[in-house]
Every structure is written in structure tokens, then in C-alpha cells.
């Protein structure tokens, strides 16, 4: 049964000692079996840090790493393993990985026997501050990201920050873009703190919970993205279109890098619409260009990127709708953007 919106809780735990934390969690529950979904990297680098807490009978399910494997074929592999090992409706699936593992594993759990319990244990910064919380699950299909999926809430979300030590800087930067976005839409004090520090001096122990708190408050008000949750799409209309364009061109760029570019481009539209003061756009630009540089595309690519904006899930009645930041710490949803607005923003970014 689906809970009424107001009863959905998006809780998370900041875990210091994963072995004792997971042991006592499992002791207090009555799961009939425990499964852990990993990819090669998280099996090698992250699973050893929690293995001691898991029952001896735990089954590890490994799928190939990378967005290109976020497919129904990978789901089949997971469902086959759950079936072969006789997982019943009281089984638990722990998703140990980045956003791809969490999204796919959450969907597999939601659909298997009409739903088994799952826990999100994110290992990337991007997954820790965004994907793990809020119950969006799914896979890519037909060339579209997250085309098939469901809202399904995890039993728990476990944030174990030392996993970040295994990440390359590009991955950290990608996740940092979502932290920047959360600060810009709802936490101006966090913005003024983070914008003054270099990446290596950021205080993740403060930023991660603050960022999750922003997301938690939003998704608890509006779990199914009917209103408030649309704020989380700031930077994502043009950012997502750019990401898809670059992927199709065979020149993929990390999600967060494209979202950061989206924040600048959409920031320009917000200035034009009188929502964001010009000096605040300059602050955003300074940080984004310093951290992410300029993503390479050219003026001749603009029509193709515009076509991708037309396919955005957030559009209504064929009109492009976006969540625009402004003033910093606030966000307005469902702002209609014309083709001229989008073109102007893409050209502005290119300078
Ligand atoms: N990543 C945006 C959301 O969860 O709604």
C-alpha cells in the first residue's frame, strides 16, 4: 500500500562504525535473507569494510559498473539471482554503490515479488547527497535516462563518509555540484561558506548532512514531485540536455559537471526574468568556472541541445518548465522557458 504523501519519511543515518551499526540493525530486524548489490569497484573497495557485520549466508550480487549497464538486462540478472537463491518477501537488499547501483537496486527491490526491503548505502558523493534519499529508483531505457522506474522508499539510508576516500577528484566534483545546488535553492548560509573554500578544504562532515537535510525537507513535503520537489531540478533542464547531448556524441561528461553548467545557464534565464540578482549570478559563475571549467560544445550544437530540452520529463503541454534559483537560497518552480530563453542561456555560457 502506498503511504499518504505526508507520512513518508526520508531518514538517513550518519554511520561512524559500519560494522557495529549494521550488526545491530540486522539483529533488530527479522529479515529471512540478506543480499548485497555491488559492482566490481564497490565489491573490492567498500564491501570489505562492512563484511564482518553481514550474516555468513549473505549473497553478493555483482553487476557491471557504469551508466551503460543501468538497464533492464542488469535488472534481470539481479532478479535471476534473487529467484535462484529463493529470496522471499522478507529478504533485504543492501545497495552498496553509487547512484547507478542505488537506482537500479532500488527498482529491482521494488519490483521483486511486488516489493522487498532495501537499504541504500551510497559510496559516491553524488549518491550520498542526492540519489540515496527520496525514493526515486529506475533504469535507463530506449536512450532515455531513468525512463523506467518507480518511487520506492528505502528502509534506511546509511551514510558512511570514509567511502569517499576511494573516489577520484572528478567524482567528488560531480557530487559537489548537487551540494552547490541544494545550498543555492534552500540554504544561503551554506552557499556563502562553501563558495569561499577550495575543494580540498571543504568540510564534508558538515556539508553532507546539511545537503541531505535540504533534500529531506523537500521530499517529505512532496515525495512524488507534484510541486516542492521540482526545486531539486534546478540546473537540470539545460544540464541534463547537455549531459545527454555529450553522451550521444561519445564524449560523456559527469552528471554534476553538466548540472553545474546548467546552474549558470539557467541562472542567466533567472536574471532575465528578474528572479536572480546579477551579482549573485556572478558569484555562481565564479565558483562553477573555477571548479568545472567550461564544458566544450559549440554554437552549432545549440539546436541539438534545444531538441533534448523538449524531451525533458518536467515539461508540460509541450512547454519547457524549469526551476529557477533566485535570490540565492530560494527557488521558483514551473517557470516557462521559451526557445529564445534557452538559446540565449546556452550562448551566454559559451561567452
Ligand atoms: N534528484 C532529484 C530528486 O530526487 O528529486
Amino acid at each position: 500500500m502506498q503511504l499518504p504523501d505526508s507520512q513518508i519519511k526520508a531518514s538517513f543515518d550518519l554511520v561512524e562504525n559500519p560494522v557495529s551499526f549494521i550488526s545491530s540493525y540486522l539483529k533488530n530486524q527479522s529479515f529471512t535473507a540478506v543480499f548485497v548489490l555491488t559492482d566490481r569497484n564497490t565489491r573490492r573497495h567498500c564491501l570489505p569494510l562492512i563484511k564482518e557485520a553481514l550474516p555468513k549466508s549473505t549473497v553478493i550480487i555483482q553487476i557491471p559498473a557504469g551508466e551503460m549497464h543501468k538497464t533492464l538486462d542488469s535488472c534481470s540478472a539481479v532478479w535471476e539471482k534473487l529467484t535462484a537463491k529463493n529470496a522471499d518477501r522478507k529478504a533485504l537488499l543492501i545497495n552498496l554503490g553509487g547512484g547507478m547501483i542505488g537506482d537500479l537496486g532500488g527498482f529491482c527491490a521494488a519490483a521483486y515479488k511486488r516489493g522487498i526491503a532495501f537499504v541504500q548505502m551510497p559510496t559516491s558523493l553524488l549518491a550520498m547527497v542526492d540519489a540515496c534519499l527520496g525514493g526515486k529508483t529506475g533504469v535507463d531505457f530506449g536512450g532515455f535516462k531513468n525512463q523506467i522506474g518507480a518511487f520506492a522508499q528505502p528502509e534506511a539510508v546509511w551514510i558512511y563518509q570514509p567511502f569517499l576516500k576511494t573516489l577520484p577528484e572528478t567524482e567528488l566534483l560531480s557530487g559537489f555540484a548537487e551540494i552547490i545546488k541544494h545550498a543555492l535553492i534552500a540554504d544561503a548560509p551554506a552557499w556563502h561558506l562553501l563558495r569561499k573554500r577550495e575543494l580540498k578544504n571543504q568540510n564534508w562532515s558538515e556539508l553532507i548532512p546539511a545537503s541531505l537535510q535540504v533534500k529531506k525537507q523537500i521530499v517529505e513535503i512532496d515525495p512524488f514531485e507534484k510541486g516542492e520537489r521540482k526545486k531539486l531540478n534546478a540546473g537540470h533542464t539545460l544540464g541534463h540536455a547537455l549531459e545527454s547531448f555529450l553522451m550521444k556524441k561519445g564524449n560523456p561528461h559527469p552528471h554534476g559537471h553538466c548540472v553545474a553548467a546548467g546552474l549558470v545557464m539557467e541562472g542567466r534565464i533567472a536574471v532575465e526574468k528578474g528572479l536572480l540578482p546579477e551579482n549573485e549570478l556572478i558569484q555562481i559563475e565564479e565558483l562553477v568556472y573555477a571548479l568545472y571549467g567550461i564544458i566544450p560544445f559549440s554554437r552549432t550544437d545549440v539546436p541539438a541541445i534545444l531538441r533534448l530540452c523538449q524531451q525533458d520529463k518536467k515539461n508540460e503541454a509541450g512547454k519547457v518548465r524549469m526551476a529557477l534559483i533566485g535570490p540565492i537560497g530560494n527557488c521558483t518552480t514551473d517557470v516557462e522557458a521559451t526557445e529564445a530563453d534557452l538559446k540565449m542561456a546556452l550562448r551566454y555560457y559559451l561567452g
Side-chain angles (χ1 to χ4, degrees), residues 130 133 136 181 215 219 225 229 232-233 236:
D130 188 14
L133 203 69
K136 280 188 180 175
K181 180 199 77 182
K215 181 151 186 189
V219 299
E225 203 170 304
R229 188 166 182 166
L232 296 172
N233 295 322
H236 281 64

XYZ file of all heavy atoms in Angstrom, residues 130 133 136 181 215 219 225 229 232-233 236, ligand 1:
101
model
N 22.401 12.975 -2.873
C 21.218 13.119 -3.719
C 20.476 11.800 -3.927
O 19.424 11.555 -3.337
C 21.616 13.745 -5.067
C 20.415 14.097 -5.913
O 19.297 14.103 -5.377
O 20.576 14.363 -7.115
N 18.479 9.365 -1.289
C 17.355 9.825 -0.473
C 16.177 10.220 -1.365
O 16.365 10.863 -2.388
C 17.814 11.056 0.321
C 17.048 11.383 1.590
C 17.313 10.330 2.655
C 17.469 12.746 2.128
N 13.542 7.785 -5.472
C 13.488 7.642 -6.930
C 14.338 6.435 -7.309
O 15.527 6.382 -6.957
C 14.035 8.891 -7.625
C 13.031 10.019 -7.694
C 13.534 11.161 -8.566
C 12.516 12.279 -8.634
N 13.019 13.452 -9.380
N 23.943 22.936 -5.573
C 22.527 23.160 -5.937
C 21.641 23.242 -4.690
O 20.807 24.137 -4.575
C 22.056 22.027 -6.860
C 20.607 22.146 -7.291
C 20.052 20.828 -7.791
C 19.718 19.900 -6.628
N 19.218 18.578 -7.071
N 17.453 18.199 1.119
C 16.690 17.252 0.287
C 15.583 16.587 1.104
O 14.457 16.418 0.640
C 17.619 16.204 -0.327
C 16.827 15.257 -1.200
C 17.568 14.651 -2.327
C 16.570 13.850 -3.185
N 17.184 13.054 -4.189
N 11.669 16.474 0.062
C 10.961 15.258 -0.376
C 9.892 14.830 0.629
O 8.916 14.177 0.257
C 11.895 14.071 -0.734
C 12.813 14.426 -1.868
C 12.680 13.580 0.448
N 6.941 14.569 -6.356
C 7.312 15.649 -7.285
C 6.105 16.298 -7.964
O 6.057 16.432 -9.181
C 8.301 15.126 -8.336
C 9.127 16.239 -8.940
C 10.270 15.739 -9.806
O 11.104 14.963 -9.304
O 10.323 16.146 -10.971
N 9.128 19.431 -4.717
C 10.301 18.637 -5.122
C 10.888 19.091 -6.458
O 12.045 18.810 -6.764
C 9.931 17.154 -5.162
C 11.141 16.258 -5.375
C 10.846 14.812 -5.092
N 12.045 14.003 -5.262
C 12.165 12.760 -4.827
N 11.182 12.184 -4.192
N 13.285 12.080 -5.028
N 14.334 20.611 -6.808
C 15.567 19.821 -6.930
C 16.021 19.711 -8.378
O 17.108 19.226 -8.660
C 15.358 18.420 -6.332
C 15.065 18.394 -4.831
C 14.683 16.995 -4.380
C 16.275 18.886 -4.032
N 15.175 20.159 -9.302
C 15.554 20.109 -10.715
C 16.297 21.361 -11.171
O 16.600 21.502 -12.361
C 14.299 19.913 -11.583
C 13.643 18.570 -11.314
O 14.340 17.580 -11.105
N 12.330 18.538 -11.291
N 18.990 21.404 -13.873
C 18.913 20.102 -14.530
C 18.257 20.135 -15.911
O 18.411 19.179 -16.656
C 18.173 19.091 -13.644
C 19.028 18.524 -12.544
N 19.536 19.309 -11.532
C 19.488 17.270 -12.305
C 20.256 18.535 -10.714
N 20.247 17.301 -11.158
N 17.465 14.172 -7.842
C 16.283 14.927 -7.721
C 15.221 14.268 -6.929
O 15.477 13.284 -6.252
O 14.109 14.681 -6.978
